Amino acid sequence: MNLLGGVPDKFHSLSRIALLQLSVNNLTGSIPSSLGNLSSLVYLYLPRNSLEGSIPNELGRLVSLKHLSIGQNKISGIIPHSLLNISSIVIFAVPANQLDGSIPPNLGLTLPNLEQLWVDVNLFTGPIPVSLANASRLTHIDFSYNNFSGSLPMNLGSLQGLNHLSLQRNQLGSWGKLNDLIFLTSLTNCSRLQVLSLANNYISGVLPDSIANLSSQLTLLALGRNQISSSIPLGIENLVALTSLGMDENSLTELQLPPCSVQVYRKSSRSHSLRAIISITSPILCLILFSCFFSLFYWIRKSRKESRKEHSTTSSLEDQCLKVSYAELLRATNGFSLDNLIGVGSYGSVYKGILGINQIAIAVKVLNLQQRGAYKSFDAECQAWRNIRHRNLVKILTSCSSIDFHGNDFKALVFEYMPNGSLEKWLPQNGNGQHPLRNLSLIQRLNIASDVASALDYLHHHGQIPIIHRDLKPSNILLDVDMNAHVGDFGLAKFLLDATDHCSKNQTNSTGMKGSIGYVAPEYGMGGHASTHGDVYSYGILLLEMFTAKMPTDKMFIDGLSLYQFVKMIK
């Protein structure tokens, strides 16, 4: 949905409604107090909108409420005590807002059926309620990115079903000093614990040997940026499921472990790059007299060789199989904030984020699963990224297929962040003559053309399975800090059926028009088969746009005139 305006006040007349689902829209204004009249309401979902104001005290009248999800808005003020007295609540999720005040000390007593508590990315203060241990069904607790202070409740270790505990980025331990981090010892009874994050606090003391007795299912342990001293216990190697361990910026004596092996993706020789250009270049390139630049291009590639060597080694992060949750991506992007939105495509939105204790810059592509074809697009991208790896393709870090705070499917792809954005932002934005503030030099255009050609040559001829991109255009070409180009977005990609068969090697049996207007090959519109030649055509149009400063969808191209015809007439 794409609803605008405020939450309708007329909902108060729907006395029998059990579920109100208005998530992922553009709703503004405040939450109507009249929603408190929906006496039969069990599920209230309002996340990922632009709602403001405070939480109405009248919501405390929803005595049948089980799921409350109003995260990722701009809601401020305190949480009404009347709302926290609804004993039937199972999921209480208010993350990524501007809520403040303290959490009532008796929360675990007033919400005995609570299973998930998400209050992260807000402005809460005060201590963590000791009474949480009384809510024995708790599986998820997230208090991260707030201003909570005081000591950690030792009795949380009695929550045997707890599998996610995140308390990072607070001021815990700032008073009521912890003695030898016995809190970790108290958690050894949480046999299902998978995520434990206590980073960025004031926690002090010595790591106990009992850390080795934490859950065998623990995948993330974050203790970085505290005041922990002494050595790392030897028993930590018993945490066999651990994939992420953060203990940086403490006063620890590290284990003498052997260095991790890092695979290196070597740069191809200059001659191979030239062959890539020659093999991918079609007759359409002659329209812009591309052959005139071959001698200059040779010199450019030679001058770039040394500068690229220092970027050819793949980082250890890229070689790891990262596992990220919905909550982690939510925090990384500040609740998928509009301030972090860097792009919107056919099937989803892309957000800039800072991930984990290592503060890694990422780009998160969140699929809009209500859009027809989004699931198929996600599957296509996952299948493609599993089989490709090249210096001129966007580097994928991981994917996330989960559920959000209100039980809906959530799918996202996480990529390395490209500081210089898409090529589209460096070219004319539309057909009305507007140009970006920054312009590309001739050398930069040639370098980008070379990078894209190298990526296509790899996809078509040198990958494990040949792939047709089918949507090559400026917005799908991203530029790193050194202005090197990387091809991305494989939502429409197709694998060739059989690389050994001549016919199948050049086309698939997928018919119909796929791609973007202006860049898609004409034969696709006439029922032609998808083929590598279609990518070459799109690449030719891309070159024409780069060197003529004219978009293929410019308003001047009417009555049969196209960018191709325009260039042909003036050659």
Side-chain angles (χ1 to χ4, degrees), residues 206-276:
V206 178
L207 282 173
D209 292 336
S210 59
I211 191 174
N213 298 324
L214 289 172
S215 169
S216 60
Q217 300 182 40
L218 193 68
T219 60
L220 183 148
L221 175 60
L223 300 174
R225 300 177 186 178
N226 281 291
Q227 299 172 11
I228 304 171
S229 57
S230 79
S231 61
I232 300 175
L234 289 174
I236 200 169
E237 70 270 16
N238 295 328
L239 302 176
V240 293
L242 206 61
T243 60
S244 180
L245 174 63
M247 295 188 177
D248 54 307
E249 298 188 33
N250 283 289
S251 299
L252 296 167
T253 303
E254 296 183 7
L255 293 171
Q256 300 301 314
L257 299 175
C260 297
S261 59
V262 179
Q263 296 180 353
V264 178
Y265 189 88
R266 298 294 182 187
K267 183 186 180 331
S268 303
S269 65
R270 183 178 70 252
S271 60
H272 175 74
S273 298
L274 288 174
R275 287 197 299 271

Side-chain angles (χ1 to χ4, degrees), residues 173-226:
S174 58
W175 48 270
K177 182 178 177 181
L178 297 177
N179 182 21
D180 292 343
L181 281 168
I182 59 175
F183 176 70
L184 288 178
T185 302
S186 73
L187 295 178
T188 56
N189 294 324
C190 300
S191 58
R192 298 181 182 180
L193 194 63
Q194 298 179 19
V195 174
L196 175 59
S197 179
L198 305 175
N200 286 272
N201 283 288
Y202 294 93
I203 300 172
S204 60
V206 178
L207 282 173
D209 292 336
S210 59
I211 191 174
N213 298 324
L214 289 172
S215 169
S216 60
Q217 300 182 40
L218 193 68
T219 60
L220 183 148
L221 175 60
L223 300 174
R225 300 177 186 178
N226 281 291

Side-chain angles (χ1 to χ4, degrees), residues 287-304:
L287 300 176
I288 59 170
L289 303 178
F290 196 62
S291 59
C292 296
F293 301 116
F294 272 142
S295 58
L296 177 61
F297 169 73
Y298 180 90
W299 175 83
I300 293 169
R301 296 299 290 181
K302 183 176 180 180
S303 66
R304 294 180 73 198

